[in-house]
Amino acid sequence: MTLEPDRLGRSKRDLAGMLRELRLQAGLTGDRLAVRCGISQSKISKIETGRVIPGLVDVERILWALNVPEDLAREVTALARIANTEWQDKRTSWRRGMEKRQTELKALESDAAELRYFLPAMITGLLATPEYMHASLGHSVGDRTAVVHRKIERQAVLYDESKAFTFILTEQAVRWALLPPLAMGVQIDRLVSLSRLPSVRLGVLPLGRFLSRGPMNTFTIYDNRLVTVETFTGRIVFRDPKDVGRHREIFDLFEEAATFGPAAQGVLADWAESFRR
């Protein structure tokens, strides 16, 4: 079963209907199934009516309780993984207005206590200067000034000491020249400044450092409940605990290899100076 964007919405309804049909075929009531798999009857009801999207762990418990054959269980599990994934294409965001996306990001940042950003290609808006923001929106449609204003407003969350931000940037992300040299120097200086905030831990991965994995995609982990992955044409949102956990493992690998603190600030200062020269 493949991850096709137009299938994501249907998969939620398909999963609910399939789990209900499997229960009926097994001759069990919702109460009996709840007892067998250790999930409340009310949650079983919400899963079967599509009001709750079950994670893979819940689906596996239900399938085990229903004694579903292995081949069918794999099919249902694949469907559950798709149901816990959301595709958000950029064209839709442009039609809705890009500033609305900023409002959604602000809500995600407000709700989370621990936020982790892996940035292999570009500097994220939370760390960007207004000039860099404008440049990064060069291929977008809509009112860029309004979007930049919302991005600047979002940066206030970095000063919230009840939160913990970890940013890992590759050398390519930091040194990709979206701006003229002097402006890039200012942008990198800002990274150094923000890295000194109590809530911010900022690491860098210089080119040439050995790593067993390549920097495939930009991704953000909100607590341990949700991951967003960026592509050229949109973003994928993962909510299943297994997908979130896998991204956390990858992030931990990059975090272990990254340079933080004064050493990272020294590396960034050298890169800023190279632009000024």
Side-chain angles (χ1 to χ4, degrees), residues 209-237:
R209 183 160 297 180
F210 173 76
L211 280 167
S212 59
R213 289 195 67 103
M216 295 286 289
N217 295 94
T218 294
F219 65 86
T220 304
I221 306 172
Y222 297 91
D223 295 322
N224 285 314
R225 60 184 176 83
L226 184 148
V227 175
T228 61
V229 178
E230 301 290 333
T231 73
F232 275 114
T233 56
R235 63 190 60 83
I236 305 170
V237 181

Side-chain angles (χ1 to χ4, degrees), residues 50-231:
R51 287 178 290 168
V52 168
I53 303 171
L56 252 65
V57 173
D58 284 343
V59 170
E60 288 169 352
R61 290 163 69 182
I62 291 171
L63 295 174
W64 174 84
L66 295 174
N67 196 27
V68 173
E70 186 176 339
D71 289 347
L72 181 55
R74 281 198 297 267
E75 178 74 12
V76 178
T77 300
L79 188 63
R81 185 175 293 278
I82 296 174
N84 278 274
T85 305
E86 179 183 347
W87 168 255
Q88 300 174 347
D89 68 274
K90 287 193 175 179
R91 285 174 295 181
T92 300
S93 294
W94 291 341
R95 286 195 298 269
R96 293 171 59 236
M98 290 187 298
E99 64 274 13
K100 291 184 179 178
R101 173 61 183 165
Q102 299 305 309
T103 301
E104 293 167 358
L105 288 172
K106 185 177 181 179
L108 283 172
E109 292 152 2
S110 297
D111 291 342
E114 292 184 89
L115 303 95
R116 299 170 176 86
Y117 298 78
F118 178 61
L119 306 166
M122 289 178 62
I123 296 168
T124 185
L126 284 180
L127 305 175
T129 62
E131 292 77 15
Y132 191 97
M133 293 176 192
H134 272 288
S136 69
L137 294 168
H139 296 283
S140 301
V141 176
D143 186 352
R144 298 177 198 169
T145 301
V147 176
V148 169
H149 180 70
R150 294 287 181 89
K151 284 177 177 281
I152 293 171
E153 285 182 340
R154 281 176 50 216
Q155 291 181 344
V157 76
L158 295 175
Y159 298 86
D160 183 348
E161 295 185 24
S162 70
K163 298 182 182 295
F165 294 87
T166 303
F167 298 93
I168 299 176
L169 299 95
T170 65
E171 181 175 347
Q172 173 175 291
V174 176
R175 302 185 74 174
W176 192 273
L178 282 184
L179 298 169
L182 291 180
M184 283 300 301
V186 172
Q187 170 59 76
I188 299 173
D189 287 340
R190 177 160 178 77
L191 297 180
V192 175
S193 177
L194 291 174
S195 73
R196 297 191 173 101
L197 291 175
S199 62
V200 173
R201 187 164 176 263
L202 192 149
V204 294
L205 284 169
L207 291 173
R209 183 160 297 180
F210 173 76
L211 280 167
S212 59
R213 289 195 67 103
M216 295 286 289
N217 295 94
T218 294
F219 65 86
T220 304
I221 306 172
Y222 297 91
D223 295 322
N224 285 314
R225 60 184 176 83
L226 184 148
V227 175
T228 61
V229 178
E230 301 290 333
T231 73

